[in-house]
Amino acid sequence: MSDSPLHTVRLGDGGPEVAVQGLGCMGMSWAYGPTDGDRSRAALDRAFDLGVTLFDTADAYGEGENETFLSPFFRAHRDELVIATKFGLQFPMDLGGRRDVRNDAPYVRSAADASLKRLGVDVIDVYYMHRRNVDVPIEESVGAMAELVTAGKVRHLGLSEVTADELRAAHAVHPIAAVQSEWSLFSRDIEVNVVPAARELGVALVPYSPLGRGFLTGSFSDAAAELTEDDYRRHQPRYNGENAAANRALLEPVGAVAKAHGVSLAQVALAWVQQRAAVHGLPVVPIPGTTKAHRVEENVAAARIVLTDDELALLEPVAGKVAGNRYPDMSFTSAGRE
């Protein structure tokens, strides 16, 4: 791993040191259509070889299936990886229906024990609250998470899709290492309040879906028309129908920048996210997801790309023109509650 283009940063004050790009593992067993275990294992191995150290999963991904799938890889490289998983979000099996969110203290404790068992490890490096149930005081949820740290079951705490005020309230109970939220050329709402709060508190940002769930790469142009029935993206407004048609046009400046650098659309989108660290003055560790080894190589190579001021200016208006929300119900996001 010595020739890796990935330098390292720390997740929060006192958090773990990780490579500046991680790997989102959800699609290896859930949400994005048919899966291939052998192909995904090859992608995991290639990421490890290239210096990726932060691997992200959640108990919601296939009702624990993703954690179980990752267990052999995690155990084989335990001392060289940072394992991040999440609790609190439950999906119905059809993916398109109601979400359940649990943040109560008894559930936090039971969820952690269940994740540890599936992962086959003694401690979780970064444990995130996946989504916020506003009926449960965040102090209760984070207090229970802090007890897991004291018990030696968890090393560091994280939150996902929280508002700036929720982050401050949580951080007052126990230090938060990282906030995981959607952040990409198409999704920039967290820059208004969440990012400044994270910078103020010394908390890192871990952007999920930095490639717009594949839309920013050009791999599909209309989810309902092109993706399989079991693909979660068919339920996301911005990737379907008239919204998708309008959003395809927004890839033109991304393509122009990609052509200038001789790289892919995906690499420009990732380079833009990586450069948010310098723009906003805090650690930023995106976790692009893929099940293919050659895409891992492409994503990691994006860490070498530096976009010019003119190129950043060309890309600046994109997010403001995006048609459609990122979820059917935005109340589960920080933007829906700010």
Side-chain angles (χ1 to χ4, degrees), residues 123-139:
V123 61
I124 296 164
D125 296 312
V126 183
Y127 199 41
Y128 289 97
M129 185 174 74
H130 203 162
R131 290 293 186 271
R132 170 99 164 92
N133 183 332
V134 296
D135 294 327
V136 179
I138 198 163
E139 292 82 1

Side-chain angles (χ1 to χ4, degrees), residues 206-293:
V206 177
Y208 73 82
S209 298
L211 299 176
R213 300 187 185 272
F215 193 89
L216 281 164
T217 73
S219 63
F220 73 97
S221 56
D222 188 316
E226 300 170 38
L227 304 181
T228 57
E229 291 287 342
D230 57 347
D231 196 302
Y232 177 66
R233 292 168 289 188
R234 292 169 61 95
H235 302 285
Q236 294 184 291
R238 65 176 46 169
Y239 303 131
N240 291 278
E242 293 181 359
N243 288 340
N247 292 335
R248 282 197 300 274
L250 301 179
L251 299 181
E252 183 176 345
V254 185
V257 175
K259 183 177 180 180
H261 284 265
V263 299
S264 67
L265 293 172
Q267 287 174 308
V268 170
L270 263 180
W272 182 89
V273 176
Q274 301 274 189
Q275 282 183 240
R276 297 303 91 191
V279 171
H280 293 280
L282 78 171
V284 176
V285 182
I287 48 170
T290 184
T291 63
K292 302 178 180 69

Side-chain angles (χ1 to χ4, degrees), residues 185 188 257 261 271-272 275-276 278-279 305-317:
L185 279 168
R188 297 181 58 180
V257 175
H261 284 265
W272 182 89
Q275 282 183 240
R276 297 303 91 191
V279 171
I305 300 169
V306 178
L307 305 179
T308 68
D309 289 344
D310 287 344
E311 289 166 344
L312 292 173
L314 182 65
L315 299 172
E316 182 65 24

Side-chain angles (χ1 to χ4, degrees), residues 146-163:
E147 291 174 5
L148 298 172
V149 177
T150 302
K153 296 179 179 182
V154 169
R155 290 195 172 109
H156 307 283
L157 303 186
L159 303 169
S160 182
E161 288 287 1
V162 291
T163 67

